[in-house]
Amino acid sequence: MKGITLIEIVLYTAIAGMVLYGVSILFGAAIISDARNEARSEVDASAAHALVALTQAIRSNGSADAWVEDGTLYMREGEIEETLTPPSVFVGTFVQTASTNATSSTVRIELEAHYRNAGRPEQQYSNTWYASATTR
């Protein structure tokens, strides 16, 4: 007689269950990794953009009229007001420190920002960046 025994069915079902469990673990890890990378790249790119805009303004104007309001970084050049960070990035610390010597003036910038993650722990990311700009 040819057929499948109950033991074979249980064994095949157990093997298929283990394979599906492994695939689901890998899929979940990929989703979490993607969320972490999204948060990191969003915050890093926003901070880089803000620091470049601020240092360019300082080099060309001697200073940057910038401020933080409700976690968003803004800058004004003349009559133009620019938002430097998107809504998904929260700026916690923004400090400009100026120092002057006989030949030049240097402005040091400290910017701390984190991702507004809406309660997802895998998207928790924050960092502090520093930049400086010198005028002559």
Side-chain angles (χ1 to χ4, degrees):
M1 294 185 138
K2 299 221 178 199
I4 300 176
T5 66
L6 181 60
I7 293 176
E8 289 174 324
I9 291 174
V10 170
L11 183 64
Y12 295 147
T13 304
I15 291 172
M18 286 188 283
V19 168
L20 288 175
Y21 177 73
V23 169
S24 69
I25 293 295
L26 289 175
F27 184 68
I31 289 173
I32 289 172
S33 177
D34 184 54
R36 281 187 186 134
N37 289 338
E38 174 190 346
R40 179 178 289 257
S41 64
E42 179 79 19
V43 174
D44 287 345
S46 297
H49 166 72
L51 290 175
V52 166
L54 289 165
T55 55
Q56 285 178 348
I58 291 166
R59 287 185 183 115
S60 63
N61 302 331
S63 66
D65 181 15
W67 69 97
V68 175
E69 185 177 307
D70 295 327
T72 302
L73 181 61
Y74 298 94
M75 181 176 71
R76 181 179 295 120
E77 283 192 272
E79 297 297 318
I80 300 171
E81 186 176 298
E82 180 182 359
T83 303
L84 296 179
T85 55
S88 59
V89 175
F90 182 87
V91 176
T93 304
F94 173 68
V95 179
Q96 294 184 79
T97 308
S99 62
T100 305
N101 63 28
T103 60
S104 66
S105 175
T106 301
V107 177
R108 188 171 191 277
I109 302 167
E110 177 183 347
L111 175 67
E112 182 272 324
H114 66 268
Y115 193 74
R116 296 184 199 224
N117 62 10
R120 293 183 65 184
E122 65 271 10
Q123 289 184 319
Q124 291 180 355
Y125 175 72
S126 68
N127 203 350
T128 303
W129 296 265
Y130 302 93
S132 62
T134 303
T135 60
R136 301 193 191 281

